[in-house]
Amino acid sequence: MMYSEKVLDHFTNPRNVGELPDANGVGEVGNAKCGDIMRMYLKIEGEVITDVRFKTFGCGAAIATSSMATEMVKGRTVEEALQLTNKAVMEALDGLPPVKVHCSVLAEQAVRAALADYYKRQGIDPEPIVGTIQEIDHNAG
């Protein structure tokens, strides 16, 4: 399986790895059955994502897509982060092998799950804003 230089770079030197103790948005997606689990931590201040970390249990592509996704939302507003798509993550990594496309979908979902958690903590119903994970799954397929 051929991976781009960028995928290999983000796999061997992942950005923003670890937990964020003062995160105010945390989302976890994936399942142990398929083997890829992503947890995303966001620190949001005044609608801007000031810090972001991730912990991913999975294959190299899962780690690379998580790493790239964190880079893409860091310093952005919540609204901008909601626009992040798995397609944008894949393009930023110069593509993924077809069997690894689902990893980029997980990365998008992890960001959305963390944003949904942030909204819940703010006392805002996240449904109309981030949609359900099921909807995202459906759109990705």
Side-chain angles (χ1 to χ4, degrees):
M1 207 170 338
M2 289 299 295
Y3 287 112
S4 73
E5 285 295 314
K6 278 191 188 164
V7 172
L8 295 172
D9 177 39
H10 276 267
F11 168 61
T12 50
N13 310 293
R15 284 39 149 199
N16 312 306
V17 176
E19 292 182 28
L20 205 51
D22 61 344
N24 52 4
V26 181
E28 186 176 296
V29 295
N31 62 56
K33 261 204 306 260
C34 74
D36 294 316
I37 299 169
M38 286 181 195
R39 183 176 286 166
M40 198 73 73
Y41 301 83
L42 300 177
K43 174 72 177 156
I44 299 168
E45 294 173 84
E47 291 294 294
V48 174
I49 299 167
T50 55
D51 206 357
V52 52
R53 294 271 187 281
F54 79 91
K55 287 185 100 171
T56 292
F57 177 86
C59 65
I63 291 162
T65 52
S66 308
S67 172
M68 181 54 91
T70 61
E71 285 289 271
M72 292 172 81
V73 299
K74 200 174 190 172
R76 303 291 180 127
T77 64
V78 168
E79 200 150 297
E80 287 172 322
L82 283 170
Q83 307 302 312
L84 182 76
T85 62
N86 74 295
K87 196 166 170 284
V89 173
M90 282 201 302
E91 282 169 8
L93 288 167
D94 295 333
L96 283 173
V99 295
K100 294 298 179 183
V101 169
H102 70 273
C103 293
S104 64
V105 175
L106 270 183
E108 175 190 322
Q109 289 175 347
V111 170
R112 284 179 184 249
L115 289 167
D117 181 53
Y118 167 73
Y119 279 121
K120 278 195 200 106
R121 294 183 196 209
Q122 303 301 307
I124 303 164
D125 178 14
E127 288 273 332
I129 306 153
V130 294
T132 64
I133 297 295
Q134 282 74 31
E135 278 176 296
I136 299 165
D137 266 335
H138 173 73
N139 293 343

